[in-house]
Structure formats: C-alpha cells, structure tokens
Amino acid sequence: MRKSFLSTLLAASLLASGTSVYAAPPVQVEKAEHGQSQKAFDQQIVKQTDAENMYRTIQQLSQAPRVAGSQEELKAVRYIEQQFKSFGYQTKVQPFQFEGYTAPSDVVVKAGDAAITAEAFTYSPNGEITADLVYVGLGTEADVKGKDLTGKIALIQRGEISFADKVRNAAKQGAKAVIIYNNADGKLNGTLGGADKSFVAAIGITKQDGEALAAKLKNDEAVSASVKVAGAKVETLTSHNVIATKKPNANKKNTDDIIIIGAHHDSVQDAPGANDDASGVAVTLELARIMAKMKTDTELRFVTFGAEENGLIGSEKYAASLSEDEIKRTIGMFQMDMVGSKDAGDLIMYTIDGEKNRVTDLGAAASSRLSGVLPYGQEGRSDHESFHALGIPAALFIHAPVEPWYHTKDDTLDKISKEKLDNVADIVGSAVYQAARPGELNIERVDYPKKEVELEN
C-alpha cells in the first residue's frame, strides 16, 4: 500500500443506512431462481478456502523485497503467472515502463550543529545546502505568497495539500530545500508521486522536532539548517501486471458483466512485504483457485498489479487499457491490500468518495452472513482508486489501523494471521460469488456503519 500525501482521518462516526449511490437492482433476501438460503451458496466458498495455501503463498513471495522493476518483483510475477495457469486460467502478463526511484544512500538534517532524525521523500532529488530556515505554515500558495525564500530552506507542516505541492510552492519562491514536519506522532516518510524537475531536496521529520523549530522561528530566532540528500536516482524501469481471466460458463444464462478482484505484488524497498501486499495476492490466488471450476454467469478477472508503491502505476496502466465497453460492463472491483497482519485492526471497506457502492453493499451483505457486518469509510492509497476514476464501483478491503511495522523490514511472515486471511477470503469470495453465480443479482438490505478510522498507528 502506498503512503498517503495527507494525514488521514475519516469522517465522523455514524450509522449509515438506506440505498446505495448507484442504481441498485431490486433487493431480495435471496436469488429467486434458487430458493435456497444465501448462506448455502456462501458455504461453497467457505468450505474451500484454505489458510495454509495462502500462508504458503506469502512465504514464497516474502523471502525478499519485491521493489517494482527489480528482479525479485519479476520472480514474483512469474510465480503468480504460473499459479494462475495451474488453475486453468487464460493468463496475460502486461509489461509497462515507469520512472523508478532509488532511495538516497545518505540523508542528513541539522539545525545548527544538532542532528535531526529525518527521511527523504520518495522522488526527492539530491541536494546539499546550509542556509537560513524559514517557516511557511502549510506551504500552500497563500502561505508562500510574497515570501522571499531565495536560497533558503523552507519549514512546512504536513496537512491540507500534497507533499509534492508543498515542495513545488516553496521551490517557486526560491527555496533550495524543504523540510516537512509531521502533524501526528511518529516519523514522516512519503512520496512526491513521481519525478519532477521542479522539485528540490525534500525531507520529512517528526512533529516534535518540527514544532520545536517552528516555535523558534515564530519567536524571531534565526535558525541555520543543513540538508543533505545524496545517492538518490531516477531511472526508467519495467514492471508488470498479471491478469487471469475466467469467462462465464453458465451457457445461455451468461451476462456481459465483469468483476475484477485485485491486489498489488510489489513492496517497498527493504520490506519483505508479507502483509503489504503478499497477503492480498495470496487471497486473490486462493479465490482464483476456488472459482476456477465453479459455475459463474459473469466474467471474472483476477489481477495483481505492479508498481503500486510508486503511485498506483500498474493499476492505472491496466485501467487505461480497458475499452469503453469493458468499463461499462465492469460492475465491481474488489481490492485487497494488507489483509493478514496479526497486529493490525479490524477489517474495513474503503471507497474513494466515502460513499457506499455495489462492492461495499456486497461486502456488507456477505460479512453479515458470515462474521458480522463490516463498516466502510473514505480512503485512497491503493489500486481501487484507479477504477473509481473510471466510474467503476470499487472498494479497498484492509485492516485498520495498520500494524506498527508497515513499510519496514519487519513486515515478515511471522506476523501473519491465518484466521484473518481465512476471514477475508470468505467475505470477499462470498461477495464476489453472490454477484457472479448464475441468476439475477439481488443484494440484501444491510445497515452498515460509516466509521472514523485512523489508518496508521
């Protein structure tokens, strides 16, 4: 899962009910054609999900970091491709190029002679400067307007606009480097979203250190600072998406609908990525295995995306490859990102606009039958965003808040919960099967809450 540009706190907690924002089909408790309890159909998924299968997939994928464009990522792509083929799927590997970033080997920040713990933002260029520090609030256009930052280092608080826009705004006023401090406890790292010639060296520091510097500047104390970023590199790399397609096999009852089930297979540098997102890939593969021989009236596409951590590049490339007809026919996109950690919070469904849609309705209905109704909230940061942009109902399934070792070397196999993997596979699998099995799609009315969740610990 990619880092956000902004601090994320969802809208205030409330119970939301009623119809969804899309034009829903007639609602019944079960599909009239079958006359059986929907739970009986769920059991066709639940009885087949195997946590050991998923655990072994995570074990295979998390032996080393799978940074987009690396040989380790390519090994993961080939493994996933082979798994899909072994289930009998039509499988395609979609290559694409992107501007990859190698993190700097040396990052130094000092205020006077005192060293400050800091991390460079992804896509920060190299730079080295000692200069006066200038506080410019949130770094918005209004905050920097009229300020002479020529040859200076800008100190900016996190919030309101993206990290990239903060850096651009300060650089336009002449700043030679930017220090952004957190608006919550903990270290600050993130991405500028891509290479940009207008960027200057950009560093993240803690809230505590940033507020201490800001207080001095607000009291008209002069602060000289030093920033050094060295060894960073941007280069053109190749990543891949893996697409497995199951055509409908209900004969004359087939629909023209498409459902996409996805996860990303890349990880960040130095992180084995057991939970982020080998867990999502493992559930995707397990559902593909289970559904390979099942009767479905809907086309199913199981996709694992590359370069998600670089700014959702793989899913954007795949979404851009869809025809207008395919977009119109796609009734839902289920994204699974970070769905297996023992130490993360509860499962939640995120949409980009914070509104219910067909995917969250199906997820809530399935969870109500299996283990308790899931809440929903508003969040981007994963590949569902690329499909929402096309008008496709899409939702991210994730546990929140995330575990403490998110995006670290400690995101390893021993932190994985088989019970959580099983639960996610059961819920998402049952939701997808409800929409894809032969017969008219009718979704139970389920009240499910909109929940305020801080995604990061």
Side-chain angles (χ1 to χ4, degrees):
M1 185 178 198
R2 70 185 178 101
K3 284 281 187 183
S4 66
F5 294 132
L6 300 174
S7 173
T8 303
L9 281 177
L10 301 179
S13 179
L14 55 98
L15 284 179
S17 61
T19 57
S20 300
V21 294
Y22 62 90
V27 178
Q28 300 175 9
V29 173
E30 58 192 35
K31 290 188 175 182
E33 180 181 341
H34 291 271
Q36 299 180 43
S37 165
Q38 179 62 44
K39 290 184 179 180
F41 292 106
D42 296 339
Q43 288 306 305
Q44 296 185 46
I45 301 295
V46 172
K47 288 181 179 179
Q48 295 187 73
T49 55
D50 188 336
E52 294 299 331
N53 281 345
M54 293 181 275
Y55 195 78
R56 284 192 292 270
T57 295
I58 297 170
Q59 183 178 39
Q60 175 68 32
L61 292 174
S62 62
Q63 295 177 20
R66 306 175 301 281
V67 177
S70 69
Q71 284 300 307
E72 287 299 327
E73 188 211 23
L74 183 58
K75 283 171 62 176
V77 165
R78 297 307 180 202
Y79 171 78
I80 295 163
E81 178 190 23
Q82 186 277 325
Q83 290 297 300
F84 280 140
K85 286 183 174 179
S86 73
F87 304 148
Y89 284 94
Q90 300 175 25
T91 305
K92 175 184 177 182
V93 175
Q94 179 188 43
F96 59 88
Q97 290 189 319
F98 69 103
E99 294 300 305
Y101 182 77
T102 300
S105 55
D106 195 14
V107 176
V108 177
V109 175
K110 291 183 179 180
D113 294 327
I116 296 175
T117 301
E119 295 189 32
F121 288 96
T122 301
Y123 292 109
S124 168
N126 295 317
E128 185 171 4
I129 182 173
T130 298
D132 289 340
L133 193 64
V134 180
Y135 176 70
V136 287
L138 291 168
T140 65
E141 289 185 358
D143 287 330
V144 303
K145 186 177 181 179
K147 296 216 171 186
D148 181 12
L149 299 180
T150 303
K152 309 287 180 58
I153 300 172
L155 177 67
I156 301 176
Q157 183 182 12
R158 180 184 187 180
E160 192 169 318
I161 62 174
S162 71
F163 297 138
D165 284 341
K166 292 176 188 289
V167 175
R168 289 191 188 99
N169 291 342
K172 284 179 184 177
Q173 297 300 116
K176 293 300 181 183
V178 171
I179 299 173
I180 302 175
Y181 65 92
N182 212 344
N183 55 6
D185 292 338
K187 295 188 298 183
L188 175 60
N189 56 22
T191 178
L192 302 182
D196 189 321
K197 291 181 180 179
S198 71
F199 289 154
V200 294
I203 300 295
I205 64 174
T206 66
K207 177 183 178 181
Q208 181 180 5
D209 288 335
E211 288 181 342
L213 292 172
K216 290 182 179 181
L217 295 171
K218 290 175 184 178
N219 287 331
D220 295 325
E221 294 183 39
V223 178
S224 177
S226 298
V227 168
K228 179 182 179 182
V229 178
K233 183 169 63 174
V234 176
E235 57 187 333
T236 300
L237 299 172
T238 300
S239 184
H240 304 80
N241 298 323
V242 188
I243 306 113
T245 302
K246 179 183 185 294
K247 295 295 184 181
N249 59 352
N251 302 319
K252 294 181 180 180
K253 298 177 182 178
N254 291 341
T255 71
D256 289 329
D257 295 341
I258 299 169
I259 296 173
I260 299 170
I261 303 97
H264 72 89
H265 53 246
D266 63 311
S267 74
V268 297
Q269 190 167 343
D270 299 326
N275 193 44
D276 187 14
D277 184 30
S279 63
V281 174
V283 177
T284 300
L285 285 173
E286 181 66 359
L287 295 181
R289 181 189 69 81
I290 291 168
M291 294 187 183
K293 304 301 181 184
M294 298 178 77
K295 285 286 184 183
T296 53
D297 63 10
T298 300
E299 181 173 320
L300 300 179
R301 296 185 183 179
F302 298 90
V303 188
T304 69
F305 305 105
E308 187 267 2
E309 300 288 4
N310 299 76
L312 314 182
I313 297 172
S315 58
E316 288 179 355
K317 296 288 187 182
Y318 177 73
S321 74
L322 297 175
S323 68
E324 288 188 15
D325 177 64
E326 288 175 304
I327 294 169
K328 290 177 182 177
R329 290 164 51 206
T330 303
I331 65 170
M333 191 279 168
F334 294 75
Q335 174 71 8
M336 290 171 287
D337 199 344
M338 304 176 66
V339 292
S341 176
K342 292 177 181 177
D343 301 294
D346 296 328
L347 189 62
I348 189 169
M349 304 177 290
Y350 284 124
T351 61
I352 299 301
D353 57 8
E355 299 292 338
K356 297 177 179 181
N357 60 33
R358 183 183 288 112
V359 174
T360 61
D361 281 359
L362 285 163
S367 64
S368 71
R369 299 187 302 265
L370 295 171
S371 57
V373 177
L374 293 183
Y376 73 105
Q378 182 176 10
E379 180 59 77
R381 301 176 58 176
S382 194
D383 293 308
H384 62 308
E385 189 172 321
S386 301
F387 299 89
H388 171 85
L390 298 177
I392 294 171
L396 166 66
F397 291 75
I398 186 173
H399 295 107
V402 301
E403 64 276 9
W405 31 84
Y406 165 53
H407 276 190
T408 74
K409 62 181 177 59
D410 295 316
D411 182 7
T412 48
L413 182 68
D414 58 301
K415 315 296 195 318
I416 295 296
S417 163
K418 295 177 184 178
E419 291 77 14
K420 283 188 173 180
L421 293 174
D422 239 349
N423 180 245
V424 175
D426 289 346
I427 291 172
V428 175
S430 295
V432 170
Y433 187 51
Q434 182 174 3
R437 65 181 177 81
E440 183 182 0
L441 172 58
N442 295 299
I443 308 171
E444 304 97 309
R445 288 190 186 275
V446 175
D447 288 343
Y448 54 110
K450 189 170 186 178
K451 188 174 182 181
E452 181 180 350
V453 175
E454 186 175 6
L455 193 59
E456 294 186 36
N457 278 302

